[in-house]
Amino acid sequence: MIAIRTLALLAFGSATLACTSSDAAREAPNNDAQAPVADSAATGADSAALARADSARIRGASSAPLWIVEISDFQCPYCRMWHDSSYDLLMREYVTTGKARFAYLNLPLPNHANAMPAAEAAMCAGLQQRFWEMHDALFKAQDQWAPLGDPWPVFSALATRAGIDAAAMRACADDDTVLPLVQADAARAVQAGVQSTPTFLVGSVKLEGAYPFAAMKPIVDSLLAARAP
């Protein structure tokens, strides 16, 4: 069997498309990818809300042997490229079959003016158990809201079409309800040495850039084979 890291290097040439920032992380990861967790500093009702929003952006069976964590920026065009070309394939092959759990981690880059409000909108939709609906809508309509001075009219329209209470989503964002969770996401990404979006933490392997599904598949399969009884 070809070594997993060798597979990652072989695929690297086709996966270097990514958004970067001068404020990106500089340290290497030191452990397997794990599920996102709500900010431990929060208490009471805030803690409950963060935990609800946190769990809403995780897909897959709790018994799955492998975590795949996407670290992404809703305004990054390469993140949208990966979403449009590979996300559904990854869900069908590994997540809905119980082979892997998938989580979305926010890293809104400071050079993308609307990335932070988009992250808050998605996480606030998660309070209504509609994170993935808003996630898909944001990427699909990226060209509409990304250049705007105020993206919220578009966010609200997208939410309404996706069956989300747009007023409640906006109130959540105005109150900064999920801001600590978005900030905690970004801090975890920095600690993991992430310097660009999208980046994927697949078990102990870090894949940087918009890896096409065909390039990710042998890496995921090798990691799953290594964990098999």
Side-chain angles (χ1 to χ4, degrees):
M1 180 183 297
I2 299 176
I4 293 168
R5 296 191 182 279
T6 300
L7 287 169
L9 289 171
L10 290 172
F12 182 74
S14 62
T16 54
L17 297 177
C19 296
T20 61
S21 166
S22 59
D23 295 335
R26 290 177 173 81
E27 294 184 7
N30 57 14
N31 53 24
D32 279 8
Q34 300 292 331
V37 291
D39 185 356
S40 60
T43 59
D46 287 344
S47 179
L50 291 177
R52 191 161 69 253
D54 186 33
S55 63
R57 42 74 178 274
I58 298 172
R59 298 188 63 179
S62 59
S63 60
L66 183 68
W67 275 100
I68 302 173
V69 178
E70 177 190 3
I71 300 172
S72 186
D73 171 327
F74 283 110
Q75 195 173 339
C76 171
Y78 302 117
C79 296
R80 180 187 61 185
M81 176 190 298
W82 184 84
H83 174 271
D84 291 350
S85 65
S86 301
Y87 169 76
D88 285 340
L89 293 170
L90 192 74
M91 293 302 107
R92 287 200 298 267
E93 180 77 15
Y94 298 107
V95 179
T96 61
T97 57
K99 297 177 182 177
R101 297 192 85 186
F102 185 87
Y104 183 99
L105 209 67
N106 294 283
L107 182 58
L109 300 175
N111 50 318
H112 291 157
N114 290 331
M116 178 61 82
E120 289 191 78
M123 298 304 288
C124 284
L127 290 178
Q128 303 177 43
Q129 298 302 307
R130 292 289 186 275
F131 172 85
W132 295 108
E133 289 85 348
M134 195 65 189
H135 162 276
D136 292 347
L138 285 168
F139 277 127
K140 184 176 181 180
Q142 187 187 82
D143 289 341
Q144 296 177 33
W145 57 263
L148 299 179
D150 178 10
W152 273 99
V154 175
F155 292 169
S156 296
L158 294 174
T160 298
R161 288 199 292 270
I164 299 164
D165 183 334
M169 184 184 76
R170 181 62 189 269
C172 164
D174 287 345
D175 290 342
D176 291 334
T177 302
V178 298
L179 181 60
L181 185 52
V182 177
Q183 292 172 332
D185 281 1
R188 291 189 67 193
V190 167
Q191 291 168 3
V194 175
Q195 302 186 56
S196 59
T197 59
T199 291
F200 302 90
L201 305 180
V202 186
S204 59
V205 177
K206 182 172 72 171
L207 307 177
E208 297 176 303
Y211 266 71
F213 177 75
M216 295 183 78
K217 180 174 170 54
I219 298 168
V220 177
D221 286 344
S222 292
L223 285 163
L224 287 170
R227 292 166 188 245

